[in-house]
Amino acid sequence: MSSDVLRQTNYRKVAVYFQSPPRKSRPLALIAVARDGENATWAMEILKMEAAQIGADALANVEVTYSTGLFPSLRVQGLAVKYAE
């Protein structure tokens, strides 16, 4: 089984926290997704896929920002973290 297939299935296991994670962890990367007129569910799935690709266990301090107007846009960002052993 290729690593791409594993990543696609494992991204669903990436936990999402809107604050610090409940377990001790170390930061890996700040990840952001921005699109015009997209929905938050789609953006969160992409964010989790990106986190899984770098080996993250969770996304911490996730923020969702909408801007309205003629061209509505959405930005979702979070800190990819790896749990401490």
Side-chain angles (χ1 to χ4, degrees):
M1 184 178 286
S2 77
S3 61
D4 288 336
V5 172
L6 288 174
R7 287 182 190 136
Q8 289 175 358
T9 57
N10 289 339
Y11 86 91
R12 289 192 166 99
K13 294 180 181 180
V14 173
V16 176
Y17 301 102
F18 291 92
Q19 68 258 351
S20 297
R23 294 173 56 183
K24 192 170 188 167
S25 60
R26 63 180 173 84
L28 297 177
L30 181 63
I31 302 173
V33 175
R35 293 282 190 236
D36 292 335
E38 296 291 345
N39 67 46
T41 302
W42 172 88
M44 193 63 70
E45 292 296 302
I46 298 299
L47 204 67
K48 289 172 66 175
M49 286 179 199
E50 293 286 330
Q53 284 185 338
I54 61 171
D57 294 312
L59 287 160
N61 303 317
V62 172
E63 297 176 3
V64 179
T65 308
Y66 292 99
S67 67
T68 58
L70 185 57
F71 299 102
S73 65
L74 168 73
R75 178 180 171 87
V76 179
Q77 72 177 24
L79 181 63
V81 299
K82 183 80 175 165
Y83 292 138
E85 298 299 327

